[in-house]
Amino acid sequence: MKRMGLDYEDLKTDNPGLVYCSISGYGPDGPWSTLPGYDVVIAGTHGLMSITGTPDEPAKVGVAMTDIVTGTMANGAILAALYDRDVHPEGTGQRVDCKYITCD
């Protein structure tokens, strides 16, 4: 997004009230930030698949659980940022950065 001038820092100069959300596998920085995040990879590498299937053969969860949960958390964070923007007189926006593993 930065290469195209569509990152939060560039856009908030035109619209200080902007609430900007990004969802990624591992976040915008850190050693895994450039890796793609897929539901089944996240579920396998971070333990969700260890509670499905059998001990010898972990199984994929029936639905894309990490996609659903991350999207739901993003929704709540966006709503909180919109509320925060509306209750403060300066009306500034926020960047919401959600990752499959955590949501800030």
Side-chain angles (χ1 to χ4, degrees):
M1 301 304 282
K2 179 132 183 90
R3 271 185 309 199
M4 296 183 286
L6 297 174
D7 63 314
Y8 177 67
E9 294 304 319
D10 288 336
L11 295 176
K12 78 175 185 176
T13 58
D14 292 329
N15 182 358
L18 176 68
V19 172
Y20 182 101
C21 180
S22 60
I23 298 175
S24 62
Y26 303 99
D29 40 35
W32 290 10
S33 64
T34 60
L35 298 176
Y38 299 103
D39 177 80
V40 71
V41 172
I42 302 297
T45 57
H46 290 84
L48 182 58
M49 289 175 70
S50 71
I51 61 171
T52 58
T54 66
D56 296 330
E57 283 190 47
K60 180 182 177 303
V61 178
V63 298
M65 188 54 81
T66 61
D67 287 338
I68 293 168
V69 171
T70 304
T72 302
M73 294 294 110
N75 175 62
I78 291 166
L79 291 174
L82 289 169
Y83 176 79
D84 185 71
R85 180 188 68 188
D86 291 344
V87 298
H88 290 95
E90 62 275 1
T92 56
Q94 296 180 43
R95 176 179 178 172
V96 175
D97 180 27
C98 293
K99 312 168 223 3
Y100 279 102
I101 306 306
T102 62
C103 185
D104 299 334

